[in-house]
Amino acid sequence: MHILVMVLGVVGAAGFWFYRMRDAGRAAGEVIDTAQRFRGAVKRKRFRDRAAQSPFVAIDDPALAAITSVIAIAAECGTWNEKTKSKLNEAFLAVSDETAIEEAVIYGEWAVKQVTEMSSALRHLGPILANMLTVDQRLDLLAMAQNILPQNGESDRCREKGLNMLRQKMGLQVN
């Protein structure tokens, strides 16, 4: 009889501590979840504050800055359409993945709509690109932009003006 009482006592103690540890694990998981949600909220607020100043202040990725620059030039010249968008996607696929390009195009389109003219966008994005890219990468970007932006006669002057402005803002010699 005393062995049965002892076995029941050990089983009861084990069950007690098992449930106690399980509840402690759940509580720790909830604390971690709360901390992660708080961290995410702080990051989102910081991003919103930077984006409220200017949509270009929040750009810290060279691919995003490059895509946004090309979109700004195309939008100003009236050549931003599905054909130009697909050419941009194909050109940047060599330097970035498809998901990142899609997100960058969405952000770039939004950012360009927030400003009234191309020069404002390029004034902010040129120095970002100059700091993040080597001279060879900047020249490659200009070559990509020339291939992406269509030539159709009436918008050629605007296209050349935008490319020259981008070249100047990136610290390259203007022709």
Side-chain angles (χ1 to χ4, degrees), residues 132-154:
M132 292 183 173
L133 301 177
T134 65
V135 174
D136 290 337
Q137 290 172 328
R138 287 182 257 164
L139 291 171
D140 288 344
L141 170 61
L142 284 169
M144 288 169 66
Q146 286 175 338
N147 291 334
I148 293 167
L149 296 169
Q151 295 178 335
N152 62 2
E154 58 196 45

Side-chain angles (χ1 to χ4, degrees), residues 77 79 149-161:
C77 297
T79 57
L149 296 169
Q151 295 178 335
N152 62 2
E154 58 196 45
S155 66
D156 283 351
R157 201 166 126 223
C158 177
R159 175 183 179 267
E160 291 306 315
K161 177 184 170 193

Side-chain angles (χ1 to χ4, degrees), residues 14-31:
F16 172 78
W17 285 108
F18 171 76
Y19 285 109
R20 197 104 174 163
M21 291 296 141
R22 188 180 71 173
D23 289 344
R26 285 182 183 163
E30 288 178 14
V31 168

Side-chain angles (χ1 to χ4, degrees), residues 65-75 80 84 88 92 141 145 148-149 166:
I67 288 171
T68 305
S69 298
V70 173
I71 292 172
I73 295 169
W80 182 245
T84 308
L88 181 129
F92 278 92
L141 170 61
I148 293 167
L149 296 169
L166 179 61

Side-chain angles (χ1 to χ4, degrees), residues 2 36 41 44 48 64 68-69 72 75 92 102 116 140 142 147:
H2 63 284
Q36 288 175 340
R44 285 190 304 274
R48 275 193 308 268
L64 176 59
T68 305
S69 298
F92 278 92
E102 186 176 321
T116 56
D140 288 344
L142 284 169
N147 291 334

Side-chain angles (χ1 to χ4, degrees), residues 52-153:
Q53 296 169 356
S54 168
F56 306 110
V57 174
I59 295 176
D60 56 0
D61 177 33
L64 176 59
I67 288 171
T68 305
S69 298
V70 173
I71 292 172
I73 295 169
E76 177 83 11
C77 297
T79 57
W80 182 245
N81 53 33
E82 288 301 316
K83 184 178 177 184
T84 308
K85 190 176 188 176
S86 68
K87 286 172 73 174
L88 181 129
N89 287 336
E90 290 173 21
F92 278 92
L93 202 54
V95 293
S96 190
D97 66 356
E98 193 172 338
T99 307
I101 293 171
E102 186 176 321
E103 290 175 3
V105 168
I106 292 168
Y107 186 85
E109 288 174 333
W110 172 81
V112 168
K113 288 178 185 173
Q114 303 304 309
V115 296
T116 56
E117 54 189 33
M118 164 185 63
S119 61
S120 176
L122 296 180
R123 186 177 61 245
H124 288 9
L125 296 171
I128 293 170
L129 291 167
N131 291 334
M132 292 183 173
L133 301 177
T134 65
V135 174
D136 290 337
Q137 290 172 328
R138 287 182 257 164
L139 291 171
D140 288 344
L141 170 61
L142 284 169
M144 288 169 66
Q146 286 175 338
N147 291 334
I148 293 167
L149 296 169
Q151 295 178 335
N152 62 2

